Amino acid sequence: MAYISLYRKYRPKKFSEVVGQDVIIKIIKNSIKSNKINHAYIFSGPRGTGKTTIAKIFARAVNCLNFKDDICGECDNCKNKNNNEIDIIEIDAASNNGVDEIREIRNSVKYLPSSLKYKVYIVDEVHMLSSSAFNALLKTLEEPPSHVIFILATTEFNKIPATVVSRCQKFDFKKINNKTIIERLKYILKEENKNINEDVLNLIAKLSDGGLRDSINLLDQILSINEENVTTDQVYNLIGELSDIEVSKLLETITKGDVKELLNNINKYINEGKNLISIVNKLEILIRNILIYNSTDNYFDIEYENILSKFNKIDINKIFELSKNLFELNNELKKTNNQKILIEIYFLKATLLFTNQLNYKTKVCQNNEDISENVNNNAEFNCNNLLSNNDKKININNALSGANKELKNEFINKFKIVEEYVSSKDYNSISNLLLKSIPEVVSDKNILFTFKNNFEVVLFDKNIEDIQKFINMLYNKKYVVVAVSSEQWIDIRNEYIKNIKAGVKYQYIEERPKQKKATKNTVLQDSVEDIFGNDYTTI
């Protein structure tokens, strides 16, 4: 007998064998028992979550002569496979998506079932039908004969026209949780008299992303290795992907700017047949997790937090820029025939983000000349090296130079008014951001805010002009604002206290006037006047 894939061999044949969709099963069973069966259903959800399987069970259940809480498996309708094949019609919409195929359905629905109570049409991947095919199906779908039931299964519900959705009862299939997947895999292993360690089962569940069919398929592949102690590394090699630890090492290589190691890694991935698109996807996921990790607490498990903690000092602006580059690379990799060169170029470009930056060491601000000085990478520097903007340093200095406790108390007392703008359409995002801040230093002209996370500081800096206008409107006074993280503030405050005790005075520094960009006409006029002189030039 030919080998049968595990996912086919262990495909549920009764409601009691289905896992992970308890609510849907309960509703369907109750509707059959109470004889409240709808004429059309839509089963939508991710792949491998049981849509087609439950559709097949449902088709048999409505025709079971002794249905109580599940298919009996003993009555004539349950036993007669030939009749089931005639009256339960499965259609693949991906290859039968035209008007002619739908016309054929319309012509056949008027005929009674050969021996069953209901004729059931299961249309898989229904979103693949053309617009004209959907339109041709509408009337039949709305008023089919009483002996006909339609079950439309899809992974892309958004592509189904609203006119079709409104004629059907919809069930949303959810991803199956890892615990349920592992339990099902253990059941299959027991039936197959096989054994796999818990770490590999956890990895299979994680990689399947809620799809039970994918997890069983992967288990099938792993069992073909025919080894007792299969490791997680073997699983990653089998599917051509990198582990979380390997992805984090790759990101470390990029952020360190180690070009030699980076190129060696790319060659290694290609020689081992790794999926380059998958590697880029995993890097994007890691970056997303780094941003979340820097913004929240206790979101990830301990093991994964150990990976993320390596990047808690990373420049958030650089991470945002890297994310854009990876998104662009992901799109380009799908179009090119030479992925190696493309990924090398983009990864080398990524290293420049982290190596072509100057680090600054903050000094006591007494005049414009000694605000900062460039230092090499091995030097000690303040504020976690994130205050690389001279204007920001000036604004911090100015806030400290005129710091006044009474002004701060007055500002904080009125700061509660920000809450009133949370529901405002124009100021919603600004007010929400400011409510996460603490006004640490207030002078007559300057305010220094602190935020718990660097991520919020980046958002503040990106919207600083709008925030400044908003605060000036609230207080009817012109302020210059600046923001730092709580961690940076500790360093700034300690240095301030140290300087004050040493008798150093912070002096206010006038803002430098911002140079206006020369307009096109100005550039043209300057050039013409240089050639012909003022007397002969009119613009």
Side-chain angles (χ1 to χ4, degrees), residues 337-379:
N337 292 323
N338 198 334
Q339 291 186 335
K340 180 178 183 290
I341 291 176
L342 192 65
I343 202 167
E344 282 177 343
I345 291 170
Y346 270 86
F347 276 13
L348 289 173
K349 180 183 175 184
T351 62
L352 296 176
L353 284 172
F354 296 91
T355 54
N356 284 1
Q357 61 179 20
L358 291 173
N359 295 323
Y360 291 91
K361 181 177 180 180
T362 305
K363 293 177 69 178
V364 179
C365 298
Q366 293 180 340
N367 53 55
N368 285 6
E369 283 67 42
D370 65 353
I371 291 170
S372 64
E373 65 177 0
N374 294 335
V375 295
N376 61 39
N377 290 333
N378 297 319

Side-chain angles (χ1 to χ4, degrees), residues 30-243:
N30 288 340
S31 67
I32 296 171
K33 284 191 282 188
S34 60
N35 201 27
K36 293 180 180 177
I37 300 164
N38 205 8
H39 66 277
Y41 297 86
I42 291 178
F43 289 176
S44 70
R47 70 180 188 278
T49 52
K51 298 183 296 296
T52 307
T53 298
I54 291 176
K56 288 180 177 182
I57 297 171
F58 186 20
R60 291 181 61 215
V62 293
N63 287 302
C64 178
L65 300 175
N66 301 318
F67 186 88
K68 291 181 180 177
D69 200 54
D70 210 338
I71 295 169
C72 71
E74 300 296 328
C75 68
D76 291 340
N77 286 355
C78 288
K79 286 182 176 180
N80 196 330
K81 290 185 178 180
N82 291 333
N83 287 340
N84 283 340
E85 288 174 3
I86 294 169
D87 294 330
I88 298 174
I89 303 106
E90 291 187 55
I91 301 163
D92 174 22
S95 52
N96 300 282
N97 57 6
V99 176
D100 292 337
E101 286 82 1
I102 299 302
R103 191 178 289 120
E104 199 174 308
I105 294 174
R106 286 172 55 188
N107 292 334
S108 65
V109 293
K110 57 189 176 186
Y111 299 114
L112 290 169
S114 61
S115 64
L116 301 181
K117 184 180 178 182
Y118 291 100
K119 183 181 278 191
V120 184
Y121 289 87
I122 300 171
V123 186
D124 212 359
E125 299 302 329
V126 71
H127 63 270
M128 300 291 285
L129 290 179
S130 63
S131 297
S132 52
F134 270 124
N135 290 331
L137 183 63
L138 281 179
K139 191 63 180 173
T140 307
L141 199 62
E142 185 172 24
E143 297 176 0
S146 59
H147 59 266
V148 171
I149 297 172
F150 283 98
I151 303 176
L152 313 178
T154 178
T155 53
E156 298 184 45
F157 174 74
N158 57 300
K159 292 185 178 179
I160 301 177
T163 48
V164 173
V165 175
S166 65
R167 289 165 167 80
C168 303
Q169 192 174 99
K170 179 173 172 281
F171 287 100
D172 290 314
F173 284 66
K174 63 181 181 179
K175 289 184 177 182
I176 300 169
N177 64 60
N178 289 357
K179 184 181 176 182
T180 304
I181 289 174
I182 291 168
E183 286 173 0
R184 185 65 177 171
L185 295 180
K186 284 181 177 178
Y187 166 78
I188 293 171
L189 287 168
K190 186 179 177 182
E191 292 293 311
E192 292 292 310
N193 198 24
K194 300 283 185 181
N195 190 35
I196 286 180
N197 70 64
E198 197 79 23
D199 289 340
V200 173
L201 290 178
N202 286 327
L203 179 59
I204 292 171
K206 180 183 174 183
L207 293 171
S208 64
D209 191 28
L212 185 55
R213 183 176 63 229
D214 288 356
S215 66
I216 297 173
N217 263 333
L218 184 51
L219 177 68
D220 209 352
Q221 281 182 282
I222 292 166
L223 290 177
S224 344
I225 296 173
N226 207 20
E227 288 182 15
E228 283 273 330
N229 300 314
V230 178
T231 63
T232 53
D233 288 338
Q234 283 177 295
V235 176
Y236 278 117
N237 288 332
L238 179 68
I239 60 176
E241 291 192 9
L242 298 184
S243 67

